[in-house]
Amino acid sequence: MKNQIKFIIALLIIVSTYSCTDFDEVQVSPTESQAISDPEGIELMEYSNPTILSKGRGFSFNNTNVSFLSFPSIRVFRRTITLLEARATYHDDQFIAANANLNDDQLSQLEIEIGFNPYEPLERFGSSYNFNDSMLKDYIEAESNWLGKRELDIENDPDKKFFHLEEEELAVLNRDGVVKIGNSIYKIIKGGYFEITDGNLQTLTKLIENRIDPCEEQLSIKEFPNVNVVSSCGGGGGGPTPTHCMESRDARDHWTFDGDKMMKGEVVLVHSAIWGVKIKSKTKFFKKRWPGIFYRYRNDLVAALDGKYDRETSECGELAFEFDEKINRKAVQHKSKAKFVYGVFNPSYQNIYVKPGKVKGYHYQRSNLRIQPLD
């Protein structure tokens, strides 16, 4: 009864929150996604990317054209991501349904034997636009190199290297983290992004050529008057003060048990004009198989959130919301990943404040539970 009351209160809070925000995330079921075509207005563009070549004792640059996607609006951009996630889920669900007589071990073994590709719908999307330079392509290669070993090097975890983004988000970025939305070009970087407000390709090339990172060096506003630096690393901590601030925090850990199993947990808070505002908990599972190396492995998994966040004062007033891991959760069967996401609001109206340790990610692999606080 207590949980039912909490659930009703949560629904009321969510409805009232939507009415005070420009909520633009369209929910699409995995089945429905197969009948929905890509949003209109997506185009392929190119820019010149200077590659450094060593030549004797000096260096030279070899310019190559790199493709990236252009979306007419943030609405189309986010709807595309939602659609891609639903298609990938449907693709995996169909694999499970077609082999309903198999257990987790047998499913995982079959997946390895036939080379089942969980990223196929995402790769198909890129191919339909002749988009051959996606960040997803680099992620898949990095993940393949990271797995297939007797011990996993957590410091080189590809999820960490690729900004903790989901696969469907990586599918719409190019290998340099570039995407065009409306009139602006965005370049994703650690802890934030650049926004080239006038969509100038020469500015983009210059940013990439100089490898500018706002967490490490000051960006000259005089040199780049058309660039906003959106970052969570600036101000008093040794890094530069960004032109715009965003909230981005994450905590992750991994746990091994039974000598051949590993569960990886991640809890993330992000407040961004690109990705929206969200708190997510994610659980991944790995297991050793012959010849003693790790694979992504199927099991019964849960990702959940527990704790409390406060919304800063706005035109909608103050709001505190308590997560309950029995309600705010995503439970899956025969999957290698479970993900629960709360949020995705327009950041112009919705700000989230989480005190250190007040929100926790809960990660289950059957009876194995690990709890991870967001500091």
Side-chain angles (χ1 to χ4, degrees):
M1 183 66 180
K2 181 180 178 182
N3 281 343
Q4 289 178 334
I5 293 173
K6 284 187 176 182
F7 182 66
I8 292 171
I9 292 173
L11 286 177
L12 291 174
I13 289 173
I14 291 170
V15 170
S16 65
T17 302
Y18 288 178
S19 65
C20 293
T21 62
D22 181 15
F23 183 76
D24 194 36
E25 189 73 5
V26 179
Q27 301 301 316
V28 178
S29 74
T31 303
E32 291 172 337
S33 70
Q34 305 309 296
I36 301 175
S37 59
D38 293 345
E40 295 183 359
I42 303 173
E43 297 179 350
L44 188 71
M45 299 183 68
E46 290 186 340
Y47 60 89
S48 179
N49 185 353
T51 303
I52 298 178
L53 302 174
S54 61
K55 189 176 182 180
R57 295 184 178 181
F59 295 92
S60 64
F61 289 94
N62 179 34
N63 291 331
T64 57
N65 289 334
V66 180
S67 61
F68 67 102
L69 292 176
S70 173
F71 296 83
S73 67
I74 190 67
R75 175 176 298 181
V76 172
F77 177 72
R78 291 186 184 169
R79 180 173 175 79
T80 301
I81 292 173
T82 299
L83 193 60
L84 290 177
E85 180 182 15
R87 288 175 182 170
T89 299
Y90 178 84
H91 177 63
D92 199 63
D93 288 346
Q94 288 298 104
F95 172 75
I96 295 171
N99 301 283
N101 59 315
L102 303 182
N103 61 30
D104 292 328
D105 283 340
Q106 293 167 335
L107 273 172
S108 298
Q109 183 61 36
L110 177 63
E111 182 174 10
I112 295 168
E113 289 175 356
I114 68 174
F116 174 76
N117 180 8
Y119 306 118
E120 181 180 333
L122 308 181
E123 294 178 326
R124 193 185 312 128
F125 165 79
S127 297
S128 67
Y129 294 96
N130 293 318
F131 180 40
N132 301 315
D133 297 313
S134 77
M135 186 173 280
L136 176 66
K137 184 177 180 180
D138 288 352
Y139 173 83
I140 293 172
E141 181 179 352
E143 183 186 52
S144 177
N145 292 335
W146 185 67
L147 292 170
K149 295 180 175 60
R150 295 182 181 275
E151 300 297 333
L152 297 182
D153 181 3
I154 298 301
E155 289 303 314
N156 289 315
D157 182 345
D159 286 337
K160 178 180 177 181
K161 179 180 178 182
F162 288 85
F163 314 119
H164 311 289
L165 296 175
E166 301 302 321
E167 290 91 343
E168 59 273 9
E169 295 169 336
L170 296 172
V172 296
L173 300 175
N174 80 352
R175 69 191 192 203
D176 293 320
V178 172
V179 65
K180 188 170 187 283
I181 306 173
N183 295 323
S184 293
I185 293 176
Y186 297 86
K187 183 185 184 316
I188 309 301
I189 52 174
K190 180 181 178 181
Y193 55 87
F194 295 125
E195 179 191 5
I196 304 173
T197 57
D198 60 359
N200 190 299
L201 292 176
Q202 291 181 338
T203 301
L204 174 63
T205 297
K206 188 176 291 187
L207 287 174
I208 294 173
E209 179 179 339
N210 289 284
R211 292 171 170 76
I212 296 174
D213 185 339
C215 290
E216 296 178 358
E217 57 186 300
Q218 183 68 54
L219 182 71
S220 171
I221 302 302
K222 291 182 179 179
E223 185 179 359
F224 297 100
N226 57 336
V227 176
N228 287 329
V229 185
V230 184
S231 173
S232 61
C233 61
T241 301
T243 55
H244 295 76
C245 293
M246 65 172 278
E247 178 75 9
S248 178
R249 289 156 57 192
D250 62 83
R252 57 194 177 276
D253 207 341
H254 68 286
W255 307 275
T256 57
F257 39 89
D258 298 338
D260 63 347
K261 301 180 181 69
M262 175 184 288
M263 182 168 64
K264 190 175 70 172
E266 181 180 90
V267 57
V268 176
L269 165 65
V270 63
H271 173 185
S272 160
I274 298 179
W275 311 117
V277 179
K278 58 188 176 182
I279 304 176
K280 71 178 177 182
S281 175
K282 184 164 62 175
T283 305
K284 284 188 174 182
F285 184 66
F286 308 90
K287 185 178 178 180
K288 282 185 178 180
R289 288 296 299 266
W290 187 89
I293 58 178
F294 278 100
Y295 296 89
R296 283 180 66 161
Y297 214 76
R298 296 179 179 271
N299 215 289
D300 296 345
L301 304 175
V302 172
L305 289 170
D306 193 278
K308 178 180 179 180
Y309 83 74
D310 300 300
R311 192 184 68 191
E312 296 175 357
T313 302
S314 71
E315 60 192 39
C316 297
E318 295 184 0
L319 174 67
F321 179 76
E322 291 190 10
F323 291 112
D324 184 332
E325 59 93 13
K326 297 297 182 183
I327 298 173
N328 302 110
R329 58 164 40 206
K330 178 69 173 180
V332 298
Q333 292 181 315
H334 312 308
K335 299 276 188 175
S336 60
K337 179 180 74 173
K339 179 183 66 174
F340 176 80
V341 179
Y342 177 85
V344 192
F345 301 104
N346 186 317
S348 299
Y349 301 95
Q350 179 77 11
N351 294 315
I352 286 179
Y353 176 67
V354 175
K355 296 178 181 178
K358 290 297 183 180
V359 168
K360 301 177 178 66
Y362 276 60
H363 311 285
Y364 293 84
Q365 180 267 329
R366 294 187 177 170
S367 60
N368 291 303
L369 165 64
R370 298 294 185 272
I371 303 173
Q372 181 180 36
L374 180 65
D375 296 325

